[in-house]
Amino acid sequence: MMMLMTSITISFLLPMIVMLLATTLSKKSINDREKSSPFECGFDPKSSARMPFSIQFFLIAVIFLIFDVEIALILPIVIIMKTSNITVWTLSTMLFIIILLVGLYYEWNQGALKWAN
């Protein structure tokens, strides 16, 4: 039991320390307008330096990533089937797939999968 508590404590403290170090070390000390503007040989920029980004493309990419990770999680489930209880395996697999399908249905209902408006 002590070993479990120690590993849980370490698994929470180590990422917290790394995140705190990253936030303190990554702070910009000087916010200068000239340093944050794009450099074009000393002239004022002719157009915006930032290109417009499609939110629909971003949402489709995130949904693709979610289902890509889903495939990586489903493949070992087939291998585990041979060594586990078939009832527990079926229930856990179906629960996993149902959660993903409910999420997909929610995204579809919200209109995230429609490319053109």
Side-chain angles (χ1 to χ4, degrees), residues 67-117:
F67 282 100
D68 195 32
V69 170
E70 169 203 352
I71 290 171
L73 292 175
I74 284 180
L75 285 175
I77 287 176
V78 175
I79 298 169
I80 292 172
M81 182 178 71
K82 296 177 186 175
T83 59
S84 69
N85 185 358
I86 194 70
T87 309
V88 174
W89 179 84
T90 305
L91 287 174
S92 61
T93 304
M94 294 309 266
L95 180 68
F96 181 71
I97 292 173
I98 287 171
I99 289 172
L100 286 169
L101 288 175
V102 166
L104 179 65
Y105 178 73
Y106 176 76
E107 291 293 329
W108 192 359
N109 245 1
Q110 294 295 319
L113 299 177
K114 291 182 183 175
W115 190 259
N117 291 333

Side-chain angles (χ1 to χ4, degrees), residues 16-82:
M16 292 301 283
I17 291 170
V18 170
M19 285 190 295
L20 285 172
L21 279 173
T23 56
T24 56
L25 293 177
S26 68
K27 297 278 185 190
K28 286 186 176 180
S29 59
I30 300 173
N31 288 334
D32 191 10
R33 181 174 130 355
E34 292 298 321
K35 286 185 179 179
S36 62
S37 67
F39 179 70
E40 290 187 12
C41 301
F43 298 106
D44 289 331
K46 294 184 179 191
S47 64
S48 175
R50 298 186 183 266
M51 299 296 290
F53 187 71
S54 172
I55 295 297
Q56 286 91 7
F57 175 76
F58 178 74
L59 287 174
I60 296 290
V62 167
I63 292 170
F64 172 76
L65 273 174
I66 289 170
F67 282 100
D68 195 32
V69 170
E70 169 203 352
I71 290 171
L73 292 175
I74 284 180
L75 285 175
I77 287 176
V78 175
I79 298 169
I80 292 172
M81 182 178 71
K82 296 177 186 175

